[in-house]
Amino acid sequence: MKKIDFYILKKFLGTYFFIVGLIVCIVIVFDLVEKMDDFLDTHAPVKSIIFDYYMNLVPYYANMLSPLLVFIAVIFFTSKMAGQSEIIAILASGVSFRRMLYPYFLGATIIAIMSYFLGSQVIPLANRTRIDFENIYVKTRKETGLSDMHMQVSPGVFVYLGRYYSFRETGDRFNIEKYEEKRLVSRLYAKTITYDSISNRWKLNNYTQWNFDKDGISHKISQGTEIDSTINILPSDFKKERKSFEMLTSSELNDHITQLRERNIGNTEEFEIELRKRQATPFAAYILALIGVSLASRKTRGGMGLHIGIGLVLSFIFILFLTVSSTFAVNGGMNAILAVWLPNIVFGIIGIFLYRNAPK
């Protein structure tokens, strides 16, 4: 590390954190104006607004906008250096353009590590408090029951539920089938089921049970009005809570995806995209830093305004590209890994092209 490395790194991180603070303050002001009526109508405590909501909202937005802010920071201070002929002086002193990128990539590494740690560990825990606050004081709880649910709860045991009503913790048209070596052993049908949170048992109402003999044809039928079951299913398995994937750490998210696959539930796209996005987003810091340096290091007559304008356009295109590809993965069957990494791949190619054509 030389003096010029510390100089560029200091400008990079200083500008980045200054812009983060500025943008977050603007976001908080607009959010407060938008939600002030909700806070007053629901009599939200000031302490909860500050510590439960906004203190947990700050890292969420800071990390979400991190790629955009890295790009803006690099464009801003590099354009200023180019306008003051500092880039020309650095290159004229014998420092290659490639060598000049080292402090930029070091700063990008610091930001990428911080972004990954926040996204995988800190923000999911903060989101639990923030979303609980929103459900109570900002908007009605958007927790909905699922319908036509098929799942495998254990080897050879399959469950079907026609509809689950999340607020009443009840479901209808419940069916459970047990197989041994692909042979149907028993089937239990209940018109409705209810979860008892005290005993942690399901109560099956108006049920009919069939027990089949080894020939698979002969069977015995039993009926009743109510029976308890300790089947390994929780009410959360039949719910789709608002932004539930945002409240899981990366390890919890990975375990949840594995559980969904084991139970053959499907619909894992949102969870897989969230997991892959947490892995791919930190790498965007390197790509956007490279594009920013390659664009802003050229001294232009228009000054930094032109560079900042180009930077903003490319940043929003990157975010739009990521959003569209994620939507295709959820609704169009696109591979989750490809959907998340495709913007990095495309903009990485753009970055290499701009680097090769940057003034050296």
Side-chain angles (χ1 to χ4, degrees), residues 75 79-80 82-83 295-296 298-310:
I75 288 283
S79 295
K80 189 174 181 180
L295 282 174
R298 186 188 300 273
K299 186 175 182 179
T300 60
R301 184 171 297 178
M304 72 172 63
L306 178 62
H307 292 153
I308 292 177
I310 296 174

mmCIF file of all heavy atoms in Angstrom, residues 75 79-80 82-83 295-296 298-310:
data_model
loop_
_atom_site.group_PDB
_atom_site.id
_atom_site.type_symbol
_atom_site.label_atom_id
_atom_site.label_comp_id
_atom_site.label_asym_id
_atom_site.label_seq_id
_atom_site.Cartn_x
_atom_site.Cartn_y
_atom_site.Cartn_z
ATOM 1 N N ILE A 75 -18.035 7.102 -9.353
ATOM 2 C CA ILE A 75 -18.193 8.101 -10.411
ATOM 3 C C ILE A 75 -17.912 9.496 -9.869
ATOM 4 O O ILE A 75 -17.213 10.306 -10.505
ATOM 5 C CB ILE A 75 -19.624 8.033 -10.999
ATOM 6 C CG1 ILE A 75 -19.812 6.768 -11.838
ATOM 7 C CG2 ILE A 75 -19.933 9.280 -11.812
ATOM 8 C CD1 ILE A 75 -19.194 6.828 -13.203
ATOM 9 N N SER A 79 -14.459 11.299 -11.024
ATOM 10 C CA SER A 79 -14.653 12.413 -11.950
ATOM 11 C C SER A 79 -14.001 13.680 -11.420
ATOM 12 O O SER A 79 -13.412 14.458 -12.177
ATOM 13 C CB SER A 79 -16.149 12.650 -12.178
ATOM 14 O OG SER A 79 -16.745 11.558 -12.815
ATOM 15 N N LYS A 80 -14.109 13.873 -10.121
ATOM 16 C CA LYS A 80 -13.491 15.046 -9.506
ATOM 17 C C LYS A 80 -11.971 14.970 -9.624
ATOM 18 O O LYS A 80 -11.298 15.966 -9.916
ATOM 19 C CB LYS A 80 -13.915 15.136 -8.042
ATOM 20 C CG LYS A 80 -13.512 16.438 -7.372
ATOM 21 C CD LYS A 80 -14.095 16.525 -5.966
ATOM 22 C CE LYS A 80 -13.705 17.843 -5.317
ATOM 23 N NZ LYS A 80 -14.258 17.966 -3.943
ATOM 24 N N ALA A 82 -10.325 13.339 -11.951
ATOM 25 C CA ALA A 82 -9.997 13.536 -13.363
ATOM 26 C C ALA A 82 -10.096 15.001 -13.737
ATOM 27 O O ALA A 82 -9.257 15.516 -14.501
ATOM 28 C CB ALA A 82 -10.932 12.693 -14.234
ATOM 29 N N GLY A 83 -11.111 15.697 -13.216
ATOM 30 C CA GLY A 83 -11.267 17.121 -13.514
ATOM 31 C C GLY A 83 -10.128 17.954 -12.982
ATOM 32 O O GLY A 83 -9.801 19.011 -13.543
ATOM 33 N N LEU A 295 -15.249 4.755 -16.704
ATOM 34 C CA LEU A 295 -16.001 5.867 -17.269
ATOM 35 C C LEU A 295 -15.480 7.223 -16.790
ATOM 36 O O LEU A 295 -15.316 8.152 -17.587
ATOM 37 C CB LEU A 295 -17.484 5.744 -16.900
ATOM 38 C CG LEU A 295 -18.338 4.757 -17.684
ATOM 39 C CD1 LEU A 295 -19.728 4.690 -17.071
ATOM 40 C CD2 LEU A 295 -18.438 5.172 -19.146
ATOM 41 N N ALA A 296 -15.241 7.320 -15.480
ATOM 42 C CA ALA A 296 -14.972 8.625 -14.879
ATOM 43 C C ALA A 296 -13.521 9.053 -14.944
ATOM 44 O O ALA A 296 -13.213 10.212 -14.657
ATOM 45 C CB ALA A 296 -15.447 8.620 -13.417
ATOM 46 N N ARG A 298 -11.685 9.466 -17.465
ATOM 47 C CA ARG A 298 -11.414 10.297 -18.643
ATOM 48 C C ARG A 298 -11.858 11.732 -18.354
ATOM 49 O O ARG A 298 -13.010 11.972 -17.986
ATOM 50 C CB ARG A 298 -12.154 9.754 -19.861
ATOM 51 C CG ARG A 298 -11.821 10.485 -21.164
ATOM 52 C CD ARG A 298 -12.747 9.999 -22.273
ATOM 53 N NE ARG A 298 -12.595 8.568 -22.499
ATOM 54 C CZ ARG A 298 -11.688 8.040 -23.309
ATOM 55 N NH1 ARG A 298 -10.839 8.828 -23.959
ATOM 56 N NH2 ARG A 298 -11.622 6.726 -23.461
ATOM 57 N N LYS A 299 -10.982 12.679 -18.563
ATOM 58 C CA LYS A 299 -11.307 14.087 -18.349
ATOM 59 C C LYS A 299 -12.109 14.589 -19.535
ATOM 60 O O LYS A 299 -11.656 14.544 -20.676
ATOM 61 C CB LYS A 299 -10.028 14.912 -18.188
ATOM 62 C CG LYS A 299 -10.274 16.369 -17.808
ATOM 63 C CD LYS A 299 -8.975 17.099 -17.555
ATOM 64 C CE LYS A 299 -9.232 18.540 -17.127
ATOM 65 N NZ LYS A 299 -7.960 19.267 -16.848
ATOM 66 N N THR A 300 -13.325 15.060 -19.267
ATOM 67 C CA THR A 300 -14.211 15.519 -20.332
ATOM 68 C C THR A 300 -14.566 16.984 -20.132
ATOM 69 O O THR A 300 -14.505 17.518 -19.019
ATOM 70 C CB THR A 300 -15.507 14.688 -20.369
ATOM 71 O OG1 THR A 300 -16.179 14.808 -19.117
ATOM 72 C CG2 THR A 300 -15.208 13.233 -20.650
ATOM 73 N N ARG A 301 -14.975 17.616 -21.225
ATOM 74 C CA ARG A 301 -15.316 19.029 -21.164
ATOM 75 C C ARG A 301 -16.605 19.250 -20.368
ATOM 76 O O ARG A 301 -16.799 20.276 -19.747
ATOM 77 C CB ARG A 301 -15.472 19.571 -22.594
ATOM 78 C CG ARG A 301 -15.726 21.068 -22.678
ATOM 79 C CD ARG A 301 -15.661 21.550 -24.108
ATOM 80 N NE ARG A 301 -14.320 21.348 -24.662
ATOM 81 C CZ ARG A 301 -13.984 21.637 -25.921
ATOM 82 N NH1 ARG A 301 -14.899 22.115 -26.763
ATOM 83 N NH2 ARG A 301 -12.759 21.424 -26.349
ATOM 84 N N GLY A 302 -17.462 18.280 -20.367
ATOM 85 C CA GLY A 302 -18.723 18.422 -19.645
ATOM 86 C C GLY A 302 -18.585 18.306 -18.132
ATOM 87 O O GLY A 302 -19.539 18.542 -17.394
ATOM 88 N N GLY A 303 -17.420 17.898 -17.637
ATOM 89 C CA GLY A 303 -17.221 17.763 -16.202
ATOM 90 C C GLY A 303 -17.867 16.511 -15.641
ATOM 91 O O GLY A 303 -18.246 15.596 -16.371
ATOM 92 N N MET A 304 -18.025 16.474 -14.296
ATOM 93 C CA MET A 304 -18.553 15.270 -13.654
ATOM 94 C C MET A 304 -20.045 15.092 -13.862
ATOM 95 O O MET A 304 -20.576 14.021 -13.635
ATOM 96 C CB MET A 304 -18.229 15.296 -12.156
ATOM 97 C CG MET A 304 -19.037 16.313 -11.362
ATOM 98 S SD MET A 304 -18.789 16.124 -9.581
ATOM 99 C CE MET A 304 -17.045 16.492 -9.435
ATOM 100 N N GLY A 305 -20.743 16.116 -14.310
ATOM 101 C CA GLY A 305 -22.180 15.994 -14.531
ATOM 102 C C GLY A 305 -22.511 14.921 -15.538
ATOM 103 O O GLY A 305 -23.447 14.135 -15.348
ATOM 104 N N LEU A 306 -21.729 14.872 -16.628
ATOM 105 C CA LEU A 306 -21.950 13.850 -17.646
ATOM 106 C C LEU A 306 -21.688 12.462 -17.095
ATOM 107 O O LEU A 306 -22.458 11.528 -17.341
ATOM 108 C CB LEU A 306 -21.044 14.120 -18.852
ATOM 109 C CG LEU A 306 -21.126 13.105 -20.001
ATOM 110 C CD1 LEU A 306 -22.529 13.090 -20.586
ATOM 111 C CD2 LEU A 306 -20.081 13.426 -21.064
ATOM 112 N N HIS A 307 -20.618 12.322 -16.323
ATOM 113 C CA HIS A 307 -20.279 11.021 -15.739
ATOM 114 C C HIS A 307 -21.343 10.553 -14.759
ATOM 115 O O HIS A 307 -21.738 9.384 -14.755
ATOM 116 C CB HIS A 307 -18.927 11.103 -15.034
ATOM 117 C CG HIS A 307 -17.774 11.307 -15.967
ATOM 118 N ND1 HIS A 307 -16.605 11.933 -15.587
ATOM 119 C CD2 HIS A 307 -17.615 10.976 -17.272
ATOM 120 C CE1 HIS A 307 -15.764 11.961 -16.607
ATOM 121 N NE2 HIS A 307 -16.361 11.387 -17.639
ATOM 122 N N ILE A 308 -21.803 11.467 -13.916
ATOM 123 C CA ILE A 308 -22.829 11.103 -12.932
ATOM 124 C C ILE A 308 -24.124 10.716 -13.638
ATOM 125 O O ILE A 308 -24.805 9.757 -13.248
ATOM 126 C CB ILE A 308 -23.068 12.265 -11.948
ATOM 127 C CG1 ILE A 308 -21.821 12.462 -11.073
ATOM 128 C CG2 ILE A 308 -24.294 11.998 -11.081
ATOM 129 C CD1 ILE A 308 -21.917 13.630 -10.125
ATOM 130 N N GLY A 309 -24.463 11.429 -14.709
ATOM 131 C CA GLY A 309 -25.667 11.095 -15.467
ATOM 132 C C GLY A 309 -25.586 9.705 -16.074
ATOM 133 O O GLY A 309 -26.528 8.913 -15.968
ATOM 134 N N ILE A 310 -24.439 9.392 -16.697
ATOM 135 C CA ILE A 310 -24.247 8.051 -17.273
ATOM 136 C C ILE A 310 -24.269 6.997 -16.172
ATOM 137 O O ILE A 310 -24.852 5.915 -16.324
ATOM 138 C CB ILE A 310 -22.929 7.990 -18.060
ATOM 139 C CG1 ILE A 310 -22.978 8.939 -19.261
ATOM 140 C CG2 ILE A 310 -22.646 6.567 -18.523
ATOM 141 C CD1 ILE A 310 -21.669 9.050 -19.997
#
